[in-house]
């Protein structure tokens, strides 16, 4: 997907990135044969954000629409992507442009999936990839950038949840950060998971807050028609040691009324293991293994990838 020497725009549409982390990320891209091109406002600061909405938006619009850019790598999550969505010229986003990020970038990935033919990839932000991700994650991201057409996530099926089994469950793979998705409910950028396989993760949220977010998504109708739920890592969200119950039990109980397969322990989240997946790519769930193919372009229309025999 990215040829050697491809120009990768590095932008910060949300929180302020650490410059040492950015230097490490740029060095990693260079080691992989790419040319990192830092957004003009990457070093800007405004309150808790990486610049004003105008500064961040200008960089993001450039990265998404410029003919001199081959891919977009988001520097850091945090908060702020939602500010920029109304100002993106969706019709001008280059078809096939790869955009990589996670956490707060969930809002951008979802909007790109719904409105463009970009190749959205849920994966560590660049600073995180360079300084906090494990070797397996970095290698998986490298393979995606280099042209990989399929990603694989593995977890554990919760057998007590009755959803008709987990063999051959198919659909586009959506999701990302639970808090961000809940915050989009009721907006024009909202999640609509009908027919989809949903991957969820979060960080530093109390269990009761995660409970609230799940209920918000369910009651808003966002999860109506979802085909499966895959729970990644919830870093810093564990129940108190004396609680007598676990966060996983809580989340499974909240999701059980959906009547679909639930898989836990998927290697996605804010920990060192944060494996990439093609956002909106066609997923095939068999047991606890989810294979996600890249969305292909054919005669100007999006079509799902097909899967080679396992």
């Amino acid at each position: 997907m990215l040829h050697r020497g491809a120009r990768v725009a590095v932008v910060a549409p949300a929180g302020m990135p650490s410059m040492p982390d950015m230097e490490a990320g740029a060095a990693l891209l260079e080691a992989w044969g790419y040319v990192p091109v830092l957004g003009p406002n990457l070093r800007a600061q405004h309150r808790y954000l990486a610049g004003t909405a105008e500064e961040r938006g200008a960089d993001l619009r450039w990265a998404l629409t410029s003919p001199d850019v081959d891919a977009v790598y988001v520097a850091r999550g945090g908060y702020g992507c939602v500010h920029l969505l109304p100002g993106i010229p969706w019709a001008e986003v280059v078809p096939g442009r790869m955009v990589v990020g996670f956490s707060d970038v969930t809002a951008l990935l979802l909007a790109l999936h719904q409105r463009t033919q970009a190749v959205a990839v849920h994966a560590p932000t660049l600073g995180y990839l360079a300084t906090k991700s494990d070797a397996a994650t970095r290698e998986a991201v490298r393979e995606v950038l280099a042209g990989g057409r399929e990603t694989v996530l593995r977890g554990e099926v919760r057998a007590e949840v009755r959803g008709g089994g987990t063999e051959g469950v198919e659909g586009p793979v959506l999701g990302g950060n639970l808090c961000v998705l809940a915050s989009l409910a009721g907006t024009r950028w909202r999640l609509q998971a009908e027919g989809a396989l949903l991957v969820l993760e979060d960080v530093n949220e109390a269990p009761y807050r995660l409970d609230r977010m799940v209920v918000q998504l369910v009651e808003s109708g966002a999860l109506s028609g979802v085909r499966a739920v895959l729970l990644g890592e919830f870093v810093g969200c564990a129940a108190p040691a004396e609680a007598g119950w676990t966060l996983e039990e809580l989340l499974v109980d909240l999701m059980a009324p959906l009547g679909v397969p639930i898989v836990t322990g998927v290697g996605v989240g804010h920990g060192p293991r944060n494996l990439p997946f093609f956002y909106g790519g066609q997923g095939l769930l068999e047991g606890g293994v989810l294979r996600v193919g890249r969305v292909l372009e054919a005669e100007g229309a999006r079509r799902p990838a097909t899967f080679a025999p396992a």
Side-chain angles (χ1 to χ4, degrees), residues 16-127:
M16 293 179 290
S18 155
M19 286 305 113
D21 287 354
M22 284 306 90
E23 292 171 2
L28 184 61
L29 291 176
E30 290 174 344
W32 289 348
Y34 306 125
V35 179
V37 184
L38 304 187
N41 295 302
L42 188 65
R43 297 177 183 271
Q45 298 183 18
H46 179 68
R47 299 176 183 145
Y48 41 82
L49 301 163
T52 64
E54 290 76 16
E55 290 170 327
R56 291 178 288 124
D59 279 11
L60 184 58
R61 290 190 294 273
W62 158 73
L64 292 174
T65 64
S66 173
D68 296 329
V69 168
D70 298 300
V72 183
Y73 215 126
V74 175
R76 189 200 159 192
Y79 173 71
C81 285
V82 71
H83 295 156
L84 311 183
L85 300 184
I88 294 175
W90 301 105
E92 299 174 25
V93 175
V94 177
R97 176 139 303 171
M98 182 184 289
V99 182
V100 187
F102 89 122
S103 194
D104 188 67
V105 189
T106 293
L108 176 60
L109 299 179
L110 179 59
L112 287 168
H113 164 68
Q114 293 172 334
R115 293 165 171 79
T116 75
Q117 293 186 0
V119 178
V121 179
H122 187 283
T125 47
L126 187 58

Side-chain angles (χ1 to χ4, degrees), residues 6 11 26 35 37 79 83 88 142 153 171 178 200 223 230 271 294 300:
V11 295
V35 179
V37 184
Y79 173 71
H83 295 156
I88 294 175
R142 187 196 66 77
L153 303 177
L178 174 56
L200 297 173
L223 305 190
L230 297 98
R294 179 167 64 91

